[in-house]
Amino acid sequence: MHRQGFQGTGLTEVLAAAKAPKGSFYHYFPSKEAFGLAVLEHVETQLGAMAHGILDAPGLTASAKFAAVIARFRDLAAQSGYGLGCPVGKLAQEMSEVSEAFRAHLAGRPTPMTGLLRAVITEGQSTGEFDPGLDADEAARFLANAWQGALMRMKVTRDPQPLTVFERFARRLLTPPSAGPSE
């Protein structure tokens, strides 16, 4: 699904990958849409676990945590030749127009990246690393949206440059006015 999209992935492929008999799918899921929502929740849980691994890392400053997040995703993107992007973003783009259940799920809660960024921004504001005048929630939502754009652009260019630009401008946004940009 990450590579081919939700609609481009057939149930036969899903069942073959899971080594499950054909009749078992509808025992667990009432529809392919319900399966897709379960996949979305699974991916969000995985991303959340990765985020907590970074947030809970001992001895890292907020700025170092921010850099670790970028590095982690840059590494994941490099492993796919920069061609996959974000699985949540891919499902959002593909399914929000055709499935009210997907749209409602995605619109009704912040993305895992938004929560991670909010936590890092709030921590950085408390330590003086990040601009205390920023609304942490608003800044996190803005950066998560820009992040999705950078990941989408990486799929097109097949290189890390969009993520590098994102990181540079995100640091400028987060840097306290008196400190000047940190790079």
Side-chain angles (χ1 to χ4, degrees):
M1 282 186 184
H2 193 183
R3 186 169 303 284
Q4 297 174 188
F6 180 78
Q7 294 179 4
T9 304
L11 291 181
T12 303
E13 292 173 276
V14 170
L15 292 168
K19 297 180 179 141
K22 282 190 174 189
S24 66
F25 181 84
Y26 290 105
H27 174 74
Y28 294 101
F29 304 101
S31 65
K32 185 179 176 188
E33 180 181 64
F35 171 70
L37 289 167
V39 168
L40 182 59
E41 288 186 16
H42 174 73
V43 169
E44 290 172 334
T45 299
Q46 284 184 317
L47 292 173
M50 185 183 71
H52 283 291
I54 293 168
L55 288 174
D56 299 338
L60 289 182
T61 64
S63 185
K65 289 175 185 179
F66 182 79
V69 168
I70 304 296
R72 177 70 174 123
F73 281 96
R74 185 179 288 118
D75 291 347
L76 288 172
Q79 291 170 16
S80 72
Y82 303 101
L84 290 179
C86 173
V88 175
K90 184 171 185 99
L91 284 169
Q93 285 181 310
E94 180 183 5
M95 297 304 296
S96 62
E97 288 185 23
V98 297
S99 168
E100 180 58 26
F102 269 87
R103 192 204 64 72
H105 175 88
L106 292 161
R109 56 207 248 184
T111 67
M113 182 54 101
T114 304
L116 171 61
L117 290 169
R118 183 183 309 106
V120 170
I121 291 167
T122 301
E123 181 181 335
Q125 287 175 318
S126 72
T127 62
E129 293 173 79
F130 297 149
D131 185 351
L134 289 174
D135 178 303
D137 185 59
E138 187 175 70
R141 285 185 280 125
F142 172 79
L143 289 173
N145 291 337
W147 171 263
Q148 283 296 329
L151 293 180
M152 185 174 64
R153 190 69 188 152
M154 273 193 333
K155 286 174 60 174
V156 173
T157 63
R158 301 287 169 126
D159 69 50
Q161 193 264 349
L163 194 53
T164 301
V165 171
F166 166 83
E167 183 176 19
R168 185 171 52 246
F169 278 84
R171 287 193 174 281
R172 287 180 185 165
L173 171 72
L174 296 173
T175 299
S178 61
S182 65
E183 299 203 26

